[in-house]
Each structure stands twice: as structure tokens, then as C-alpha cells.
């Protein structure tokens, strides 16, 4: 039964991650649009995708301080897997940020009435 509780907890954490990424990206996009900088496309992606860079930096710190890996092969395997996980995590967060900014911009510019 603990396996099912863990999956539910992971789904809740994933929902919190997605909502946090979208809210941060929308606020950053709004501040950028208030500054009359309308090149929000890549910035909205990179605002949230840098979480993958942070994850990889944390994995390097974890490797140097907590893990006791002996030899070059285990270190290379660890860094390879963590780089793939960090890239996937960055793409997930970045795409959530971009899509939420896209919906936000469509909504705010769709509400503008031009006569």
C-alpha cells in the first residue's frame, strides 16, 4: 500500500512544480511586458529551464561531498545520467513556463479592444 501513497505524493509534488513554474514565468513575463520588451518567447523558456542547470550543479556538489565513488567509470556514468535528467527536467520546466506565458499573452492581448 505504501507504493500507491508514494505515487500520489509524487503527483502532488509534480502539480506543485508545474503551478510554481507557470506562476513564476507569468510574473516574469508580465514584468518584461511592462518594461515594453516584447521578446518574451525565449526568456519565458529560460526563466524556468534554469532549474535544470541548478539541478546539475547540485548533483556535482552531491558527487563531490556525499558520494564515495571509486574510479572514473562510475563518476562518468553518474554525470551522464544526471546530465540527461537535468536536461529533461529543464525542458519540462521550460516548456511549462513557455506554454503558460503563451496562454497568458493570448489572454491579455485577446482582451484588448481596438476600435
Amino acid at each position: 500500500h505504501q507504493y500507491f501513497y508514494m505515487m500520489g505524493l509524487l503527483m502532488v509534488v509534480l502539480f506543485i512544480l508545474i503551478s510554481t513554474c507557470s506562476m513564476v514565468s507569468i510574473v516574469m513575463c508580465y514584468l518584461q511586458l511592462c518594461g515594453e520588451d516584447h521578446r518574451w518567447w525565449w526568456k519565458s523558456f529560460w526563466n524556468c529551464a534554469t532549474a535544470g542547470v541548478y539541478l546539475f550543479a547540485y548533483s556535482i556538489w552531491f558527487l563531490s561531498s556525499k558520494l564515495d565513488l571509486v574510479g572514473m567509470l562510475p563518476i562518468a556514468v553518474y554525470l551522464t545520467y544526471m546530465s540527461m535528467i537535468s536536461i529533461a527536467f529543464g525542458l519540462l520546466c521550460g516548456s511549462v513556463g513557455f506554454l503558460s506565458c503563451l496562454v497568458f499573452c493570448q489572454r491579455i492581448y485577446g482582451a484588448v479592444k481596438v476600435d
Side-chain angles (χ1 to χ4, degrees), residues 46-65:
W46 287 112
N47 283 336
C48 292
T50 51
V53 175
Y54 175 77
L55 179 66
F56 188 71
Y58 179 76
S59 69
I60 290 174
W61 174 82
F62 190 78
L63 173 67
S64 66
S65 66

Side-chain angles (χ1 to χ4, degrees), residues 9-101:
L9 178 66
L10 286 177
M11 291 301 291
V12 169
V13 170
L14 180 68
F15 176 72
I16 292 171
L17 172 72
I18 288 173
S19 64
T20 303
C21 283
S22 65
M23 294 298 171
V24 166
S25 183
I26 286 171
V27 168
M28 296 297 287
C29 183
Y30 179 75
L31 292 175
Q32 185 177 350
L33 291 175
C34 285
E36 296 181 5
D37 184 11
H38 297 286
R39 295 175 304 215
W40 59 269
W41 294 82
W42 282 105
K43 289 181 183 177
S44 66
F45 178 81
W46 287 112
N47 283 336
C48 292
T50 51
V53 175
Y54 175 77
L55 179 66
F56 188 71
Y58 179 76
S59 69
I60 290 174
W61 174 82
F62 190 78
L63 173 67
S64 66
S65 66
K66 303 287 183 188
L67 289 180
D68 293 327
L69 297 179
V70 179
M72 286 301 290
L73 185 63
I75 293 173
V77 168
Y78 173 77
L79 288 176
T80 302
Y81 278 121
M82 286 310 297
S83 64
M84 289 189 295
I85 290 169
S86 299
I87 288 171
F89 184 71
L91 286 174
L92 170 79
C93 292
S95 61
V96 165
F98 172 74
L99 291 174
S100 62
C101 276

